[in-house]
Amino acid sequence: MKDFLYYRHCRHFPMLLDLPDKCGGTDLSSDVFLLLVIKSAPSNHVHRELLRKTWANERQQNGVWIRRVFITGTRGSDFEKERLNKVLELEHSQYKDILQWHFIDTFQNLTLKQVLFFEWMERNCPKARFLFNGDDDVFVNTNNVVTYLQSLEDNDGSKHLFAGHSMLKISPIRTPWSKYFLPVQVYKPAAYPPYCSGGGIILSGYTASVIYNMSQSIILLPIDDAYLGMCLAKAGLGIQSHQGVKSFGMDVPSKHVNAHDPCFYKELLMVHRFLAERLYYMWHSVNDPNLKCFGNIKY
Ligand SMILES: *[C@@H]1O[C@H](CO)[C@@H](O)[C@H](O)[C@H]1NC(C)=O
Ligand SMILES: *[C@@H]1O[C@H](CO)[C@@H](O)[C@H](O)[C@H]1NC(C)=O
């Protein structure tokens, strides 16, 4: 906490790896329908490889473009830091999907990472229509996300959208040993404004721009998803709960059904915390044209 407080006013960090042409320039960036913005720690090389091969694959889906960036900082000291930076550099030159800033990538610095990303977007990808913003250990049915976004009436990304697993009247954790600890001296209110769990959020380009603008006058807080809620509250905007986003895993109706039945996942947008081999299996299963699901599964 001391460390966080010491650095919370610092918002400008040099970029180690940049992708200024990711969205094809300011004007062409409107061709990016869905930008996947995935928070990834430098050491999560294996997760990134898997996501590139599965749901985060850059492609045209239903006639629109999906693009991907991993957002990251630095970790480790001396040789380890050098090695991790080299890995990221190699990935960056091979896949063109790494944005790296020179700050220490810790849980408390996730808000900083988020704000730095929105600033990058404002500069390099201002007209992207929608974003998925989430963790690198989630399963996202990006096909469904595109279908859902295309089904929105009169929102082409230029109106407010902020949807996910809603978190309402959540109180800050006041126990010092918790990862989410926030002393009253740092944040006084008894509850956060409404926000969506940070594992996976779907938002419009418009809302990203509003959040960035609001963040300029809101001091950083170490809980990144609650911070986004504060930015929205300041702008007078609400959040939307989406049934298809399962930030705390799936509730499978009974012990007798297979919790990894692809039919449960076929209609969802996102599920948190997936082991690598399950994620690989699930992505291939939900995309299998021969997958047969009977009836509507109720969640
Ligand atoms: C956040 O990043 C800064 C810059 O690298 C670092 O000095 C600070 O220790 C980090 N804060 C936390 C809480 O990890
Ligand atoms: C954010 O601020 C900039 C600069 O003041 C402004 O041009 C832009 O329209 C704002 N964005 C939104 C969505 O309000």
Side-chain angles (χ1 to χ4, degrees), residues 46-59:
V46 175
H47 283 266
R48 291 189 293 273
E49 284 292 292
L50 177 63
L51 300 199
R52 289 177 181 121
K53 288 197 295 189
T54 57
W55 60 261
N57 181 24
E58 292 194 320
R59 63 193 188 279

Side-chain angles (χ1 to χ4, degrees), residues 3-4 7 13 102-104 106 108-109:
D3 198 31
F4 171 80
Y7 283 96
F13 290 88
H102 200 184
F103 67 88
I104 305 176
T106 54
Q108 286 84 3
N109 269 344

Side-chain angles (χ1 to χ4, degrees), residues 229-276:
M230 290 162 61
C231 293
L232 292 174
K234 180 157 187 176
L237 297 175
I239 62 157
Q240 199 180 319
S241 171
H242 194 293
Q243 285 306 313
V245 177
K246 307 284 177 192
S247 287
F248 300 96
M250 280 282 289
D251 287 326
V252 173
S254 114
K255 274 196 292 222
H256 305 292
V257 300
N258 173 12
H260 295 285
D261 184 336
C263 289
F264 283 124
Y265 294 88
K266 203 172 148 52
E267 310 302 327
L268 289 173
L269 299 189
M270 186 216 93
V271 187
H272 204 197
R273 289 281 152 77
F274 252 69
L275 295 177

